[in-house]
Amino acid sequence: MRKVFKTSQPWINSEEKKNINLALKEKAISGFYGKFIDKFEKEFSKYCGAKYGVSTSSGTTALHLAVKTLGIGVGDEVIVTTFTNMASIFSIFYSGARPIPVDIDKKTFNINPSLIEKKITRKTKAIMIVHIFGHPVDFSRIQKIAKKYNLHIIEDCAEAHGAEYNGRRVGSLGDAGCFSFYANKIITTGEGGMVVFKDKNFAKKAKNLKELSFGFQEKFQHNDIGFNYRMTNLQAAIGCAQIKKIHKIIKKKKLIAEYYKQ
């Protein structure tokens, strides 16, 4: 049997319990119904500085949804860092595309922008950056490369909720910002994730894809090959309580980091 090790404990208190009890009272427990889903999407995307949020069942599905929303598929290539959780790599494989690994900067452990251009081909469609351990990548340099070759930028912000680059929060920098709300993340919904967008059309497409692409008029006349990637209202209820104290949680995380440094 695989051993399970606790890496951290979430900060859960009466507010989360209050929200969950309210969702239970209203019998709003699925991902189709309940006020907390929309509320959490709006509050978290606003916190990130993005216009739209699309909640998902995990950080991994958030990444896959972003890749599919941006139209990346079979035969395409996506630049990605060599140092990351395999979810980043898997999300590219899920779409039939090919991940192209680029080595890291030894000082930051983030993708090395100096090595990206030599890996770009006619098949390259996007650069997936990972803000590893919550430290933002050198985004300005990567943005210049993306503009030069007309590439999308996908941000893997699984560990970087609230991190800032030149005064802007990660997730709002590229075309899609993907977050995880697993139990050991900055804020948690137990399992769960979210993709934040600046573009309304991308957000609309992502929302449709994550809900099995049901038909707009005839529900079971599906308009695309969709996925069942919904976050439940119960999870979103926890998220709504967590986002209220994210500043306090990050402050505590910084104190812990300082302790480790000393």
Side-chain angles (χ1 to χ4, degrees):
M1 182 181 290
R2 181 168 59 89
K3 289 184 178 180
V4 177
F5 299 96
K6 288 184 180 179
T7 54
S8 69
Q9 299 223 352
W11 280 294
I12 301 290
N13 57 28
S14 59
E15 192 66 27
E16 284 85 356
K17 295 173 184 176
K18 177 184 174 183
N19 284 0
I20 289 173
N21 284 333
L22 183 57
L24 289 171
K25 184 179 179 181
E26 295 174 347
K27 294 183 171 57
I29 62 173
S30 76
F32 269 124
Y33 171 75
K35 65 182 181 182
F36 289 113
I37 298 170
D38 184 60
K39 189 172 188 287
F40 185 42
E41 289 175 338
K42 287 180 178 177
E43 290 182 355
F44 186 77
S45 58
K46 182 180 179 181
Y47 172 79
C48 294
K51 287 187 176 181
Y52 309 99
V54 180
S55 58
T56 63
S57 55
S58 70
T60 304
T61 56
L63 286 163
H64 182 217
L65 188 64
V67 172
K68 292 297 290 184
T69 297
L70 297 177
I72 298 164
V74 177
D76 295 333
E77 294 178 350
V78 178
I79 301 289
V80 67
T81 177
T82 55
F83 188 67
T84 181
N85 185 291
M86 281 303 292
S88 309
I89 310 294
F90 289 161
S91 69
I92 299 167
F93 278 127
Y94 294 158
S95 302
R98 182 185 176 204
I100 305 298
V102 170
D103 210 349
I104 60 171
D105 182 315
K106 290 189 287 185
K107 292 182 179 179
T108 66
F109 287 85
N110 277 321
I111 192 169
N112 188 336
S114 301
L115 304 177
I116 292 176
E117 277 197 86
K118 63 179 69 174
K119 294 292 187 80
I120 294 174
T121 71
R122 288 179 297 173
K123 296 180 180 180
T124 309
K125 292 296 186 292
I127 303 171
M128 182 181 286
I129 56 177
V130 182
H131 304 295
I132 204 73
F133 303 138
H135 298 293
V137 302
D138 188 349
F139 187 78
S140 293
R141 291 178 66 190
I142 292 171
Q143 188 177 39
K144 287 178 182 177
I145 296 169
K147 284 185 176 181
K148 181 179 178 180
Y149 294 96
N150 194 29
L151 304 176
H152 290 299
I153 298 177
I154 301 169
E155 296 179 75
D156 183 337
C157 314
E159 303 173 326
H161 315 55
E164 295 184 358
Y165 179 87
N166 288 344
R168 293 174 62 193
R169 289 201 174 119
V170 299
S172 67
L173 305 174
D175 296 291
C178 306
F179 293 84
S180 169
F181 301 123
Y182 181 62
N184 68 343
K185 304 307 181 193
I186 305 291
I187 62 171
T188 184
T189 57
E191 299 280 355
M194 193 175 299
V195 193
V196 297
F197 298 96
K198 292 176 287 189
D199 187 275
K200 183 178 181 179
N201 290 326
F202 282 153
K204 186 177 179 180
K205 181 178 178 182
K207 186 174 177 61
N208 177 60
L209 283 170
K210 74 128 183 187
E211 294 182 347
L212 291 172
S213 295
F214 285 119
F216 300 117
Q217 294 182 353
E218 295 292 335
K219 181 177 180 179
F220 295 108
Q221 294 297 318
H222 300 262
N223 54 67
D224 207 332
I225 299 174
F227 313 99
N228 188 356
Y229 285 172
R230 295 185 300 273
M231 173 184 283
T232 69
N233 191 54
L234 287 173
Q235 291 171 304
I238 298 173
C240 285
Q242 289 271 296
I243 192 67
K244 284 184 178 180
K245 55 188 177 186
I246 190 169
H247 296 289
K248 189 182 294 185
I249 291 173
I250 290 174
K251 186 176 180 180
K252 287 183 178 181
K253 294 279 188 181
K254 287 180 177 178
L255 289 173
I256 293 168
E258 195 58 39
Y259 175 79
Y260 275 116
K261 283 182 184 177
Q262 292 174 12

